Amino acid sequence: RAGGDGTGQGAGVAAVAARDNVVRTSFRAGAGPDPHPPELIWSVDHVNPLAVQLYTVREQIKSGLEPVLAAIADAGYGAVEGFDPLSDPEGFKALADELGLAICSTHAPLLGDQQDAVLAAAKILDTSTVIVPMISPDRWADADGIAGIAADLNDAAAKAADAGIRVGYHNHWFELETTIDGSFGLEVLADALDPSVVLEVDTYWAQVGGADVVPLVQRLGDRVRYLHVKDGPARKGEPMVAVGAGVLPVTEILHANPAVEWHVVELDECATDMIQALRDSATYLAKDGVRS
């Protein structure tokens, strides 16, 4: 569905490609006058280092960011995904660099009145992608609502491209609970998005919402550049567990779509110690055949 094979966003997309840690990219010139001249053709030979969405450790960070990032790096993660880019982006970037952690993306309220500030912070963080973490469930009720969501994301993507930033969307369960003409709401969105907009498929919430995750990720095609990797009972209101200790078919999901660039571990809440769950997740994901 709705792949990322269409026109990009000119020099802005080129800058995104230059900073993304993707093994091979190539460009194909557009034909004739076009507001989005070159097309960006992604080719991913292998997945980047394993990342953590820092919302996972939001409580631990309250006692100090440095020891938490150090524990993440020590557990074997090579990247982090932020969720509060407006909070001292210079200091955060310096600390991540010191610990050898890439900033693969950040979640941020890109569709509101903080858009300019978010894009400026993303430049400071030197991250290629800003991901909208959620859009109100009320807007997912019907096709018109989803069309409006797509229009908002497309407008944001056009502006972000001028700064060399790529825009993405991250799902919860409600985008899958809505179906229109036999397609999940998330798929309807994907069909309406500009080719430059990417998806971060939260695999856990997709299953909670009623999707069979492997074929969903396959159908969404090269629109999907990030996966949120998590595990647990796949039921609302129950805590998650370390990746590999729950019911999700993690290995099958991670091999479902070769276009994916980043595997990002996120545990919204956990039945065990969070830092230990991140260590156990990294150990599981490092096993032969799970990610590679």
Side-chain angles (χ1 to χ4, degrees), residues 20 100-101 112 150 168 170 196 198-199 234 254 276:
D20 250 0
L101 292 169
H170 162 273
S196 66
V198 302
L199 292 178
L254 298 186
Q276 187 59 51

Side-chain angles (χ1 to χ4, degrees), residues 241-262:
V241 298
V243 176
V247 302
L248 267 71
V250 175
T251 299
E252 291 82 357
I253 291 170
L254 298 186
H255 288 264
N257 188 333
V260 172
E261 298 162 13
W262 291 95

Side-chain angles (χ1 to χ4, degrees), residues 115-193:
Q115 185 176 87
D116 289 341
V118 166
L119 293 175
K123 294 289 286 185
I124 293 169
L125 294 172
D126 194 29
T127 189
S128 67
T129 308
V130 174
I131 295 173
V132 176
M134 174 180 168
I135 293 175
S136 173
D138 295 343
R139 297 188 65 188
W140 292 88
D142 54 33
D144 288 342
I146 295 173
I149 292 170
D152 289 347
L153 290 169
N154 291 343
D155 288 346
K159 183 170 183 177
D162 292 337
I165 302 294
R166 183 171 62 173
V167 170
Y169 181 73
H170 162 273
N171 66 279
H172 287 79
W173 59 89
F174 44 84
E175 300 92 337
L176 289 304
E177 289 180 335
T178 296
T179 58
I180 297 171
D181 296 330
S183 293
F184 290 115
L186 186 63
E187 295 179 284
V188 175
L189 175 72
D191 286 342
L193 289 173

